[in-house]
Every structure is written in structure tokens, then in C-alpha cells.
Amino acid sequence: MELGYALSLVSRYKREGLIHKGTEINLRSQLMAILKELIMDFTKGESTSIKEEVAQNLLASICYAIDTAVCSYPDDKRYSYIMSKRLKGVYNDGIYMLNNMMNETKAIYREVMKSKLDIPLEIYNSTLDGIGRFFKDYSILYSAHDTVADIDYPLVLDEMSEKGLIYIREYLLMLRYETAFVQYFSFENVLKLLDLYGKYHGFNYTKGYFNIFEICFIQSFLAVLAGKSAFCLELFSYDLDKAAMQLRILESSDVDKALLTNTKKMITELGVEEKKVIEYINEYFNKAFKRIKIACDQGNLLELGLIKQEESVQLKFKDGDRIGQKRFRRIIAELNNTNSIKEKIASLKNSIHSLKDFIDVMEADVFYRKEFAEVFVALDFSYLAILYKYFKGRNSIAHGDNEIEHSEGSWGFELMEYIKALPANVSAKIIELADQLELDEDLLPED
Amino acid sequence: MTNLIRMESLESGIRQIMAVNKETEKYGLTLTRADAVEIISNRERILKATGRIELSYEVIKKFIELFSSSSYISQDEYASVINELLEVFYYLKNESNDDIPDDILIERLKDVFENKCGGCIELISGKELMYIIRNYNRKEGFGGEEEWN
């Protein structure tokens, strides 16, 4: 809605010969009468003249109210509405509509503030504060057209040419839809993603200029494309490779369909039900489609999403301090004199802090066969992984990679049996951890 | 948009100004149609020069009504005095940032014209104008005496 829409409509009708020049002049006189009245109101009746820029502002405000009323009618009814009501009536209708719109916009703002994202992004928070101040500074009578607010936070579909209250209302509605979408994800995951975004682009994300909805949308979209959950915002390079591979085997027109289906799948999986939010997501997808398609065609999804670097596969184990020989012998004697396995394990935990010492205790015949399992139960996965790594390392030196020492009753044998007996995902985790471990050679006892 | 605002009815203005003659003729002062045209045209020039907009002739009428009783104005110079007073008036409106209401400013100018400057419009300039602006207090009006050389 351009400012002075109603005036330009009348001018157009006059140019097309649909109305007389006198009608146009008459309408302009009506407009001046409204302005004259507003000037008196603005100056509280104390002045009949004002500065030109003030007058222009007041006139723009009048036109904004008139245009608001006129544009509430369908195109073909607008001119007859202006003629039937006279401009003052149209203006009053406009003021009435703007007052209603103000109440509605305040309600939307309250809703947005209640559900606002608790994210330390400066432009996001300062924009919301700015809109709060807008309601105090905005005047429907004197500056209806003015968007007296610093709106810095960019929305994905904010290409409106609107001004004033109408713009603020539309902005808040879109922000509400975006917020609703982001709230489908775990707050911690969103923060991690934004942090990753900042690191990727080389800045502190809290001071960045970006749109949260867009980042979450793209990440979730790619997650679904990679066969992961729509709630997953953490992607690795192999996820994008997988997604790219899925698309590579399709024909170009099928790629378009696949991308569209992917969005629907994402929406369904997230459980988005609000129609307006779904429409907003789809509208954004349509806007972003070209960019997504180009990245897919080029097989370069890294252009779109953010990947987390795989964690380092080298976990260094640093052994604790060894105890002296005398003390070691005393501990062994205590363990041999203890019948309770619980007491043995407690003593072990309190006294032994070195892997080498632990192995030496394991090999000192202080535990019976069945007691080993209880010792292993008391250890966490990482320690079990260390023992596994140690045992396999020693065993490969003695017997080669493919054989395990079969010495029933030995701690190593019992360890392997214990790990084998664990649930498959647990034993796999221990073995995976062991593979990532690096033991210093001096940690291996001399054979 | 400025041109739109400036499209006023000249004829209406002339009629309104001429109508005030009924009040002023008892003081021996009247304005002809030519005088009215000149005053309106002069006002337009001043408004443009001072960057102001006015959609009525109230100020002109008030000047005519108030100053017609001045003992210092003769029929010969009547229109030109009004023109010069208008120039001072709109200048002061800008300088005071529209802080002084029209009626109060016009009355103040009358007071200065009559009681300080002996009807000499040239004396209402420079320092005197600043006194007017500075000495105006929104709550008290022009309370207190200004300093005059």
C-alpha cells in the first residue's frame, strides 16, 4: 500500500477521463480541510501555521488512515466508497480501523513476548524491546505512517513495503510463526546450533545478524533428507553425504518433488499443526527452493547446512600414580584376607589408582573367577575400554591379532566373557571407545 | 505534497480580509482588494521563505483587527505595515520553535510596536525580537520587564 494510494487512484481516474477535474479538485479541498483541522488539533488551537515538514508529516498520516480504509474494500468498490462517504468519512473510518488494529497488534505483541525465545541474540532482543517502545511513541493521528521503531532482527519473509502500524502488525505475526517453529526443537540444541553457526562464520553469534528460524529450518530439512529425525539439529559430514547421495540418483523433476516431500515430512514429524505456521514454512520453502535446489544439483549441501566436526578419535589415557612395593604387598595381603567381594572392591577402589597397579592386582590371584564379574560391574565403560584395549594389545603382542589368550580364570579371559555377555549396544560402545583410545607403551606391563 | 498543501482558495482569502474592514473602518483604516491580494501574496512569499504552511487567514485577520486601533498607522502605510508585521511574526514562530501561541505573539508584537518602538516597525528587529523569544515563559507568558537600551 503506497502512501497516497487513494489520491493516486483519483488522479488515475481523472487521467483516464472517468471523473471530471472538478471532482479531483473537490477531493483535494476536502483533504485540505482535514489537514487544517488536524493542524489546529496538533497545535492545540494555538497556532494556524506550522513548519512545512510537520505539515507534510500530518498529511502523510491523514493519507495513511484514508488508504487503510480504502484498501479494506475490493479494488472495484474503492472509488465508489470514497465518493459515497466523502473524504472526512473515509478518514474517520481509517482512524477507527487503525485504533482496532492497534489493540490487535498489542495483543499479538503480548503473545510474542510470552513465547519469546530465551536466546542471547542482541538484535532479536533489542528489536522486541524496540517494538514495545513503538506502542508508546506511535500516534495514530499525527504519524500513522511512521514506523517509529528500530526493527533490526530480519525475518525470512520480510519484504513488505508496508509502513507504520500495518508493518508492525505483519512483522509481529510473522515473528510469531517463526518462534512457533523454532520451539519445536530442544532449546539446548538450538543454542548449540547457533553457537556452531557463529563459530563457522567467525563471530560471536550473540552479536550476529541472522535469522534463527532459517538456520533451524535448513538444519532440520537436511536432517530429514539424511534420514535422521526432524528434531535433530546436529549433522555430520556423512549425513550430508548421505542426503546428497539420495538426491543424486533421482531425475531432476523428481528432485523437486523429493524436496517438497521432504518439507512435508519435516512438518509432520515435528508435529506442526497450526495452519498459519505451516503456510509460513511452505512460503519460506518456496522462497528458499532455488537456493536449496542449486546446492542439491551441485551436490554441495555444505553450502546450506552446518556440520559438527567429528570428535577426535584419539583419546589419550594418562595413568595415575603407582604405589610402592611395600604398600602393594600390604594391599594384596588385605585382599587375600577378605572374604567379602564388596570389601575387596572397596579396598581396590580406595587404594589403587594406576592401571599398572590394577593389572598387577588382577594378576595376583586375589579374586576368584566369579568375583571378576563383580569387579567389572563396579567399573565404568571407559575403564572397561581401557582394560579391553590393554588386554588386546598385550594379547596381539603374544599371540598375533586374531587369537585371544584362552586361559579360563584369568582376568583377561573373564573380561572378554563379561563384555561379550553385555547387551550388544553396550559392548559395541565399549569396543568403539577402546578403538579410539591410545595407550602409551609404558603403560603395558613387561611380559 | 507541498504543492498540494499550497493550493488554497485565493478568492476566499480576499473575501475574509475584506470582511474585516467592517471592524477597522471606525479607526479610519480599510484595505482595498488590491491590498488584500498583496497581503496574501506577501504572506505566501514569507511562508515559503520561512518553510511554513498555513491553511487559513486567521493570523492576517488578527493582525488587521488588532493593529487597526494603533495610533501610529495611517491609511497610506496600512497594508505595508501589516506585511512587515507578518514577516516578523513568521520569523518569530520559527525562532521560538512554535512554542509561543499565535494570539500571545501577536499581542506581544502590538505591545512592542505601540509602547516600545513608537510605531516604528524597523525598531522591532534583532535584539528586541530575541527578548520576545527569551522572555516568553509558557506558564507565565511574558512576565517581567525586558531590558531595553
Side-chain angles (χ1 to χ4, degrees):
Chain A
M1 188 178 77
E2 48 186 66
L3 203 56
Y5 165 80
L7 294 183
S8 54
L9 178 70
V10 169
S11 294
R12 180 162 62 90
Y13 276 40
K14 193 203 112 204
R15 275 198 309 275
E16 291 171 6
L18 298 170
I19 58 170
H20 297 296
K21 184 177 177 176
T23 307
E24 191 192 15
I25 292 173
N26 187 283
L27 281 167
R28 289 185 193 277
S29 298
Q30 291 177 40
L31 185 64
M32 288 304 106
I34 299 170
L35 177 61
K36 189 171 157 182
E37 215 177 293
L38 194 60
I39 289 173
M40 286 306 282
D41 194 65
F42 182 77
T43 63
K44 299 181 182 61
E46 291 177 352
S47 183
T48 56
S49 68
I50 49 172
K51 287 182 182 162
E52 220 169 274
E53 58 264 26
V54 176
Q56 284 178 349
N57 215 44
L58 292 180
L59 187 61
S61 186
I62 291 168
C63 288
Y64 189 88
I66 288 172
D67 290 348
T68 300
V70 168
C71 291
S72 69
Y73 283 78
D75 279 351
D76 56 344
K77 299 268 188 280
R78 289 175 182 178
Y79 179 72
S80 56
Y81 165 62
I82 295 170
M83 290 293 113
S84 65
K85 267 245 163 170
R86 292 183 64 82
L87 222 48
K88 184 69 199 267
V90 174
Y91 173 67
N92 287 339
D93 284 351
I95 295 294
Y96 177 79
M97 284 180 196
L98 288 173
N99 274 315
N100 285 345
M101 198 183 295
M102 174 62 103
N103 292 333
E104 191 192 327
T105 307
K106 278 180 179 170
I108 299 170
Y109 178 69
R110 281 193 292 271
E111 231 182 288
V112 166
M113 289 305 282
K114 236 198 299 185
S115 61
K116 129 182 155 76
L117 302 170
D118 191 17
I119 285 172
L121 179 59
E122 281 179 17
I123 49 158
Y124 175 79
N125 290 305
S126 67
T127 294
L128 285 174
D129 289 342
I131 294 176
R133 284 191 297 275
F134 165 84
F135 293 115
K136 292 186 185 120
D137 298 336
Y138 181 73
S139 168
I140 287 176
L141 281 181
Y142 306 136
S143 53
H145 61 295
D146 211 343
T147 317
V148 281
D150 293 325
I151 313 279
D152 293 324
Y153 181 69
L155 300 178
V156 290
L157 297 176
D158 187 8
E159 288 168 33
M160 296 184 298
S161 53
E162 299 293 353
K163 293 181 204 295
L165 184 60
I166 296 172
Y167 174 78
I168 297 292
R169 179 181 169 275
E170 292 304 309
Y171 183 93
L172 284 172
L173 278 173
M174 292 196 292
L175 184 59
R176 190 176 78 71
Y177 304 147
E178 290 194 4
T179 304
F181 174 77
V182 173
Q183 282 175 335
Y184 281 100
F185 303 100
S186 119
F187 175 67
E188 290 78 19
N189 288 346
V190 172
L191 282 184
K192 277 186 203 167
L193 179 61
L194 297 185
D195 188 55
L196 182 63
Y197 180 85
K199 285 183 174 127
Y200 187 80
H201 292 281
F203 59 76
N204 180 342
Y205 84 88
T206 62
K207 304 208 183 296
Y209 180 83
F210 55 83
N211 179 275
I212 301 167
F213 165 93
E214 181 167 43
I215 294 172
C216 292
F217 175 95
I218 293 292
Q219 207 73 353
S220 177
F221 179 88
L222 290 173
V224 174
L225 206 55
K228 289 176 98 156
S229 161
F231 293 97
C232 177
L233 296 179
E234 191 174 82
L235 299 175
F236 297 92
S237 59
Y238 49 77
D239 291 321
L240 297 193
D241 290 339
K242 188 178 170 190
M245 204 170 61
Q246 309 269 35
L247 297 171
R248 218 173 286 139
I249 57 176
L250 299 173
E251 295 290 328
S252 180
S253 58
D254 289 338
V255 169
D256 294 2
K257 270 186 233 155
L259 294 177
L260 182 60
T261 306
N262 198 64
T263 304
K264 287 181 181 164
K265 195 174 169 192
M266 180 187 77
I267 291 170
T268 306
E269 209 176 304
L270 290 174
V272 182
E273 289 178 343
E274 192 183 340
K275 191 173 165 212
K276 287 286 184 189
V277 177
I278 294 173
E279 280 173 9
Y280 191 85
I281 294 168
N282 286 329
E283 203 177 327
Y284 170 68
F285 171 72
N286 290 336
K287 181 187 168 189
F289 178 76
K290 194 175 175 183
R291 182 165 71 99
I292 295 173
K293 181 82 197 298
I294 290 172
C296 291
D297 286 346
Q298 293 172 351
N300 186 11
L301 296 180
L302 265 173
E303 285 291 310
L304 292 174
L306 297 163
I307 54 164
K308 196 178 174 198
Q309 296 299 325
E310 281 88 354
E311 287 174 3
S312 170
V313 295
Q314 291 301 319
L315 300 171
K316 274 263 191 198
F317 173 72
K318 188 177 180 330
D319 201 12
D321 294 330
R322 295 199 74 175
I323 54 175
Q325 283 289 336
K326 218 173 172 180
R327 180 157 158 71
F328 183 83
R329 281 198 291 271
R330 200 164 51 241
I331 289 167
I332 296 298
E334 277 172 20
L335 290 172
N336 275 326
N337 289 332
T338 308
N339 290 324
S340 157
I341 180 61
K342 282 192 171 65
E343 283 176 23
K344 279 184 180 177
I345 290 169
S347 178
L348 193 64
K349 276 185 163 180
N350 288 335
S351 316
I352 303 298
H353 305 291
S354 150
L355 174 66
K356 287 182 189 171
D357 287 342
F358 183 88
I359 300 297
D360 288 347
V361 169
M362 290 286 109
E363 292 179 344
D365 292 333
V366 295
F367 293 103
Y368 295 110
R369 189 180 164 187
K370 283 180 186 171
E371 290 180 333
F372 280 120
E374 292 195 57
V375 173
F376 297 142
V377 164
L379 301 175
D380 60 29
F381 288 167
S382 51
Y383 211 85
L384 287 171
I386 293 166
L387 289 174
Y388 179 88
K389 180 92 176 187
Y390 170 86
F391 182 76
K392 284 212 68 182
R394 191 180 75 174
N395 197 68
S396 72
I397 291 168
H399 300 282
D401 280 337
N402 296 321
E403 286 186 55
I404 302 290
E405 183 180 344
H406 281 288
S407 174
E408 282 192 44
S410 73
W411 73 269
F413 177 85
E414 297 306 324
L415 174 71
M416 293 299 151
E417 291 298 300
Y418 174 74
I419 290 175
K420 257 196 264 180
L422 289 170
N425 61 326
V426 175
S427 57
K429 183 77 183 166
I430 293 169
I431 293 168
E432 188 190 326
L433 270 171
D435 285 341
Q436 292 174 359
L437 269 173
E438 185 187 314
L439 296 181
D440 285 338
E441 276 189 27
D442 63 48
L443 278 175
L444 300 174
E446 290 168 27
D447 286 316
Chain B
M1 210 163 260
T2 310
N3 289 335
L4 177 69
I5 294 170
R6 292 193 188 284
M7 279 169 61
E8 302 163 39
S9 168
L10 176 63
E11 207 47 52
S12 165
I14 294 169
R15 275 199 302 274
Q16 288 179 55
I17 290 170
M18 302 286 291
V20 187
N21 279 338
K22 286 187 195 136
E23 305 286 324
T24 64
E25 59 192 8
K26 65 180 180 250
Y27 300 108
L29 295 172
T30 54
L31 292 167
T32 64
R33 184 185 166 85
D35 290 334
V37 170
E38 189 202 331
I39 289 170
I40 290 172
S41 148
N42 182 55
R43 186 196 75 160
E44 282 309 296
R45 181 190 60 76
I46 298 166
L47 285 175
K48 208 167 180 176
T50 53
R52 298 186 70 82
I53 296 282
E54 190 166 42
L55 295 184
S56 75
Y57 298 95
E58 292 305 311
V59 162
I60 296 176
K61 283 154 62 181
K62 279 174 187 170
F63 266 106
I64 294 169
E65 281 163 4
L66 202 58
F67 281 78
S68 61
S69 59
S70 170
S71 48
Y72 294 104
I73 300 177
S74 66
Q75 177 64 48
D76 290 341
E77 58 190 359
Y78 185 29
S80 68
V81 167
I82 296 294
N83 283 331
E84 288 181 73
L85 285 167
L86 284 175
E87 188 136 15
V88 172
F89 173 80
Y90 290 114
Y91 170 78
L92 282 174
K93 287 293 286 187
N94 272 354
E95 289 301 305
S96 64
N97 220 21
D98 284 307
D99 206 31
I100 309 176
D102 288 354
D103 289 347
I104 291 176
L105 189 53
I106 295 171
E107 280 165 17
R108 190 59 176 165
L109 282 171
K110 173 77 189 301
D111 178 50
V112 169
F113 181 80
E114 288 292 314
N115 304 318
K116 309 285 181 196
C117 301
C120 180
I121 195 88
E122 287 78 17
L123 288 179
I124 307 177
S125 60
K127 195 162 57 178
E128 287 75 7
L129 293 183
M130 289 304 115
Y131 280 142
I132 290 173
I133 295 162
R134 206 173 59 217
N135 291 337
Y136 176 74
N137 178 295
R138 189 153 267 283
K139 286 183 193 156
E140 299 169 12
F142 287 105
E145 287 294 314
E146 311 93 292
E147 294 172 15
W148 295 92
N149 286 335

